[in-house]
Amino acid sequence: MITVNEYFDGAVKSLGYENNGKSTVGVIDAGEYEFGTSTHETMIIVEGTMQVLLDGQTDWKNFNAGEKFEVDANSSFKVKVVGQVSYLCKYN
Amino acid sequence: MITVNEYFDGAVKSLGYENNGKSTVGVIDAGEYEFGTSTHETMIIVEGTMQVLLDGQTDWKNFNAGEKFEVDANSSFKVKVVGQVSYLCKYN
């Protein structure tokens, strides 16, 4: 089964599935968002560039297609994108 | 805007967006499918392994995460997957 998830009034959408653990592929519309985590997440950029501010950090970092960042469980991170960006998220 | 597309009774779902042209990220449930194209497509595997039979060919080929294949406009291709697989498709 493939689940369809929507956040921020549809400005972020993702498809949930299983492949060696829980995964989502998603798309983020241009804008700025804050996401919370309940488990450890690995975010891999599929297409586009994402600016990311991890919890407890003061500098935004750019991540391009193929690059990834890790987010601790029970944490949060902010994301800014100037165009639509797609990502793969692994939960583990 | 992010479009949500469903095919084969929901066994294939994708999210449509724009990033240097039209793109989709999608997920395919275990099974075998035949897709038709109206434009040239580049398919890039995001996670998992896809067996692919391109139009006019007789041998199935395996494509793993990060690998890609090209499909001509007004053509078709068959896909077999044994577990859920995610992909990026570029239309150009």
Side-chain angles (χ1 to χ4, degrees):
Chain A
M1 202 187 71
I2 305 164
T3 59
V4 179
N5 312 296
E6 299 201 5
Y7 310 95
F8 301 104
D9 291 327
V12 177
K13 295 183 185 175
S14 71
L15 302 173
Y17 65 99
E18 297 276 338
N19 189 296
N20 293 319
K22 187 167 174 266
S23 298
T24 58
V25 283
V27 178
I28 301 178
D29 275 338
E32 183 172 338
Y33 311 91
E34 182 164 5
F35 297 93
T37 64
S38 55
T39 58
H40 178 273
E41 297 183 8
T42 303
M43 289 277 290
I44 302 110
I45 312 305
V46 171
E47 193 177 26
T49 299
M50 202 179 279
Q51 288 179 272
V52 178
L53 183 66
L54 292 171
D55 202 18
Q57 299 198 348
T58 52
D59 290 336
W60 290 80
K61 286 186 186 164
N62 275 5
F63 294 90
N64 300 307
E67 297 181 334
K68 64 184 174 182
F69 58 93
E70 312 267 337
V71 188
D72 290 335
N74 306 308
S75 177
S76 66
F77 61 105
K78 289 180 180 169
V79 164
K80 270 193 279 197
V81 296
V82 295
Q84 290 184 310
V85 169
S86 56
Y87 65 89
L88 165 67
C89 184
K90 294 291 300 173
Y91 302 83
N92 50 42
Chain B
M1 202 185 71
I2 305 162
T3 59
V4 178
N5 313 296
E6 299 200 6
Y7 310 95
F8 302 103
D9 292 327
V12 177
K13 294 182 185 176
S14 70
L15 302 172
Y17 65 100
E18 296 276 339
N19 189 298
N20 293 319
K22 186 168 175 267
S23 297
T24 58
V25 283
V27 178
I28 301 177
D29 274 340
E32 182 171 338
Y33 310 91
E34 181 162 5
F35 296 93
T37 63
S38 54
T39 58
H40 178 273
E41 297 184 9
T42 303
M43 289 277 290
I44 302 111
I45 312 306
V46 171
E47 193 177 26
T49 299
M50 202 179 279
Q51 288 179 271
V52 178
L53 183 65
L54 293 171
D55 201 20
Q57 300 199 348
T58 52
D59 289 336
W60 291 79
K61 286 188 187 165
N62 275 6
F63 294 90
N64 300 307
E67 296 181 335
K68 64 184 176 184
F69 59 93
E70 313 266 337
V71 188
D72 290 335
N74 305 309
S75 176
S76 66
F77 62 106
K78 289 180 180 171
V79 165
K80 270 194 277 198
V81 296
V82 294
Q84 291 183 310
V85 170
S86 56
Y87 65 88
L88 165 67
C89 184
K90 294 290 300 174
Y91 302 83
N92 50 43

